[in-house]
Structures are given as structure tokens and as C-alpha cells.
Amino acid sequence: MTATDFAWAALGGDPALPSRISTVVRHGTLESRLPVRELARACVGVCALAAAELGARRAGRPDVPGVRVDDGALATAFVSERHLLVDGRAPVAFAPLSRLWRTSDGWVRTHANYPHHRARLLGALGLPADTTDAAPVAAVLAERPAQEVEETVCAAGGLAVAARTAQEWARHPQGVAVAGRPLVERARLDSAGTRVLTSAGPGPILPAAGLRVLDLTRVIAGPVATRTLALLGADVLRVDPPGLPELADQHADTGFGKRSATLDLTTGRRAFEELLAAADVVVTGYRPGALDRFGLSPEALAERRPGIVVGRLSAWGAHGPWGGRRGFDSLVQVATGIAAREGSGERPGALPAQALDHGTGYLLAAGILRAVTEQSDEGGSRLVEPALARTAGWLMGEDMGGAEAADAAGPNDGSLGDPDAYDGPGPWLAERDSELGRLRYALSPVSFTGGPPDWARPPGPLGSDSPRWT
């Protein structure tokens, strides 16, 4: 079984449909000791296939259009945040205190891109809140064991993870909990009636056209999923809390096709309930349980909005002792042994892209699209739940086996040039003007016959839209 077959099976898809996927092979893309390119092909391939399947269903077509996965498009899109330019300016990917540090017995990785996470990290280490220089942080961490740092910082609400080998993660209670879960968890939450998929007339219709998606996600993975749904025609409204805005460059990278509003879920409860009442999909990207006090657990959402599709994304999954912890791609790579595998032996390494984020984002979008298709047959509110740590386990495990043979045997129509050449990201970059300035950005790798080549609109300023549906 290839990685694509495995992922499609995890989404409950017809096992005959992956034959509709063709691959344009380009050597020299996403090179890594681990099969990152194969993971990218599988995640994007099943996402495009789920879109093509839903589009065919809505058009009343018996056949599913062909899907095209191009290694060049994958290599560009999986580092979209690195290709972004805003009026010629490149964003800064990581803040100075988001990095690997030596400890007394190994390594620890911290994440402090957001001001509140930086403040919690410094407080846990007993350093002044205005510390920006790495030297005092390095001095403190060099005297402490890595796992002690991990527990102290996490207890303070910050983010730090000790570097582990794959074997150590496999024995860790959270590693055990994650390994026992499906790649994408799927559940039917109630017996709501079937969804009616309408057509917009005799012309072509995008697969997600007419779907209203309430986007409560942050950073990369969740926004990649909702950015993809926006590409496919959904009305995506991203909602952020007014006191904790998204980083501006991150919003510029993942805000394509969406509208952006701010809303306090405590004082703006009525406005939120009005949004929910007309939503088709709710996607959350906060740690499990963080939004439950607002009535945003999957079960509570389905009770108030029967027929809803809930996408819930997390770093560590909803089960195990770390089920309620915060996390990011870089931390998951370090905890699960990926960084050790990619490292030099003396220092942990990293994947050539934040592949857990991007890959999981496409898996989440695929799961939501498949849930909508299944609702047209069986009804029911649906839950789709991937986790970065589960994607990490897939990347390192036997379920990725067989995918590497695609380089030798995968179909390739060669229409974009020499299949053995990758001459850079140029063909998969675009530019356009926006309210944020002149943007250079990566095009979506999700491609199928009749699919959209680009987003209908660029991102606007964060929080510039009203919290209501168009």
C-alpha cells in the first residue's frame, strides 16, 4: 500500500479512486532522510482527490476528474511562508528565542514567536520579561536537564520540549497514546439529515462553493486547511480574539481567499451564535479543551447546529497526558525523534519544510471535503480530527512504505518540462496587489481537472471584516 492509498483509506474513500492521481516527478525536491516528498504527495493528492470527488458529486458526474500532483508545486507550497514577499520584504520565520538550546544533558526546543509565549518562557526561567538576547537564556538552560526545562516551562503555559529519539518517544506515554490512533480520526456525531448539495446552474461549480466555514485556527496547519477550502470556493471567515492577534506575516501567507474578523467570544456571544447558526463547517486549531468553555466542543457544536462538520486540529492529539498541551511543528519534530533522525548526531536537525504543519493541513481539508460528500449520502454531523504528532508517526513509520517507488514507477505526463529537473519555485509563484501591499506568494498545489488556478481574493488586513456572513 502506498502512502496515498493509506491516507485515502484513513479518510474513508473509495479505494479505486487513487488511480485518478498522476504524479509529475521532479528530483531534488524536499530532500530529507525521511520520506517528506512522499508525505507531501500523499497529503496533497488525497486533498485534491477529495475536492474532485465532491465536485463530481455536485455536478452529477459519474466519473471523478483526474488529479495532478507536481513535485515542484509541492516543494514550493510546503515552504509558502519562506516565499512570501510583502512589498519586497521577506518575513522573519522564527523569533530569536524560538530555537534549539543546549541543556546539561541534551537539547531542548522552545517556541516564543508570540509575545505571550515569550513572556511565559522567560518567567519560567526566572529571567526579566524584556529579555531579548539569547545569551542569558542559553546560560540558564545549559545548567538544567532538558526534561526538567520541558516540565517547568509547560507548567507556566510556555512552550519547550526536550529532544528525544524515536525509541524514547515510542516509550513515552504520549507517544504510546498517539501511536494507537488513526491517521485522521473521523466520527459521526448525530443523526442529522442528509446535506443537499446544490448546483449554481449550468456552468462549472467549485467543489466547496456555498459552504460557510468558520475558521478558528492559528499559525500554519489549520490556516492551510481553511486557505485550501477558500481556494475551492468556500466562504471562509477567520475569527481571531482581539487581544491575541495573529502574526501579520503569517496572516498574509495563509489568509488568501478568506475574510478576517475579530470577536471576543465572551462579550460577542450573540454575534458568534449568529455565525454558527448559518455555518456549514467549523475548524478549530487550539489545544483540545481550550474552547470548551465557550461551548465549542464538537458535541456542543453539533447540538446547536445539527449537520455541522467540525474540523479539530491539535499538536499532540486529544488523548494521552499531553492531550491538553500547546504545540507547534518544530516542537513535535523534536519530541517525536524526527529532529534526531535528521540531525548530525551531535545536534538535532529539522525537516526541509514544516511538513507536519502543511501536510496535516491538507489532510484536514481533505477530511472536511470527504465529510461533506458523505453527508450527501448518510447525513449526520461529522468530526474530522488530525494531529501533528500522528502525522509525525506516519512519516516515520511503515505506513509510508511503498511511496518511494513512485519516483521510479509513478505516472508523469511531463507537460511542465523535464521530469528530472527542478529549477526552482518560479513556475509556482505568483504576484498580485492587495491592501497589505504587493504580494509574492506560492500557488496552491491542489490541482485537478477543472480546478481553480488561484484564490479569488488576496488577504486583507487582519480583523478588517465584520463578523458576519456575506
Side-chain angles (χ1 to χ4, degrees):
M1 177 181 287
T2 69
T4 299
D5 290 331
F6 179 83
W8 187 246
L11 297 169
D14 180 348
L17 287 183
S19 65
R20 305 295 297 156
I21 302 174
S22 63
T23 303
V24 180
V25 176
R26 299 183 190 276
H27 300 300
T29 56
L30 297 175
E31 293 185 312
S32 174
R33 293 176 183 173
L34 290 167
V36 174
R37 178 172 47 187
E38 287 69 34
L39 177 139
R41 287 175 181 167
C43 293
V44 171
V46 297
C47 184
L49 186 58
E53 177 191 36
L54 179 57
R57 177 68 61 91
R58 299 190 69 168
R61 293 179 49 177
D63 60 314
V64 173
V67 167
R68 178 187 175 97
V69 176
D70 191 307
D71 284 348
L74 299 179
T76 305
F78 265 57
V79 291
S80 63
E81 64 276 7
R82 300 181 200 171
H83 291 301
L84 177 71
L85 293 178
V86 182
D87 285 334
R89 177 189 59 81
V92 177
F94 286 101
L97 301 187
S98 296
R99 48 169 278 190
L100 279 164
W101 309 84
R102 276 275 193 187
T103 64
S104 63
D105 62 350
W107 295 88
V108 70
R109 173 85 196 203
T110 58
H111 197 288
N113 282 10
Y114 290 94
H116 58 294
H117 290 158
R118 183 182 67 244
R120 292 168 185 170
L121 170 66
L122 293 170
L125 299 180
L127 293 170
D130 60 353
T131 301
T132 57
D133 186 11
V137 178
V140 170
L141 294 177
E143 296 179 351
R144 299 187 184 182
Q147 292 192 30
E148 177 189 299
V149 172
E150 175 184 275
E151 292 304 322
T152 300
V153 174
C154 288
L159 292 123
V161 168
R164 292 174 171 85
T165 65
Q167 294 74 23
E168 288 170 336
W169 178 248
R171 296 191 297 268
H172 190 278
Q174 189 61 31
V176 173
V178 170
R181 311 305 301 186
L183 176 61
V184 180
E185 300 200 45
R186 302 159 55 246
R188 180 170 175 165
L189 300 173
D190 60 25
S191 57
T194 58
R195 182 185 295 275
V196 177
L197 298 174
T198 58
S199 175
I205 181 172
L206 291 176
L211 292 178
R212 289 173 165 171
V213 178
L214 194 52
D215 179 2
L216 306 177
T217 68
R218 296 171 73 79
V219 198
I220 296 178
V224 163
T226 51
R227 180 179 70 181
T228 302
L229 296 176
L231 173 81
L232 299 170
D235 179 9
V236 179
L237 178 63
R238 172 162 170 165
V239 176
D240 283 279
L244 295 172
E246 181 61 279
L247 301 176
D249 290 333
Q250 220 148 245
H251 165 69
D253 176 46
T254 60
F256 281 87
K258 309 177 189 179
R259 293 180 298 117
S260 169
T262 57
L263 184 64
D264 188 315
L265 294 184
T266 301
T267 60
R269 191 68 194 183
R270 180 175 178 179
F272 180 82
E273 292 300 327
E274 290 176 354
L275 288 173
L276 177 61
D280 299 288
V281 179
V282 175
V283 188
T284 66
Y286 295 79
R287 58 192 173 87
L291 298 178
D292 288 3
R293 69 184 188 277
F294 299 112
L296 296 180
S297 70
E299 296 76 14
L301 288 168
E303 183 177 349
R304 302 206 305 285
R305 177 67 172 90
I308 198 78
V309 174
V310 180
R312 186 169 70 169
L313 172 79
S314 64
W316 309 107
H319 305 274
W322 287 14
R325 283 196 180 185
R326 300 169 178 85
F328 293 93
D329 181 305
S330 58
L331 301 181
V332 176
Q333 287 191 40
V334 167
T336 60
I338 289 175
R341 185 80 61 87
E342 294 292 325
S344 63
E346 297 183 359
R347 179 185 177 90
L351 298 176
Q354 293 193 68
L356 306 181
D357 262 334
H358 286 272
T360 307
Y362 291 111
L363 285 176
L364 176 57
I368 290 169
L369 294 166
R370 288 239 63 253
V372 172
T373 299
E374 290 178 338
Q375 284 181 327
S376 67
D377 290 328
E378 306 166 5
S381 299
R382 305 283 172 143
L383 172 63
V384 179
E385 189 169 21
L388 301 187
R390 182 61 188 91
T391 304
W394 179 40
L395 175 63
M396 299 183 72
E398 296 180 359
D399 295 331
M400 195 60 65
E404 61 274 12
D407 271 4
N412 172 31
D413 64 12
S415 63
L416 294 182
D418 181 357
D420 293 328
Y422 175 68
D423 296 324
W428 302 282
L429 295 175
E431 291 193 20
R432 68 201 300 180
D433 292 319
S434 76
E435 293 182 67
L436 303 178
R438 182 72 176 175
L439 300 179
R440 187 194 74 176
Y441 59 97
L443 294 168
S444 174
V446 174
S447 177
F448 54 95
T449 303
D454 200 349
W455 288 274
R457 56 174 284 172
L462 185 71
S464 61
D465 295 290
S466 299
R468 61 174 60 95
W469 298 115
T470 56

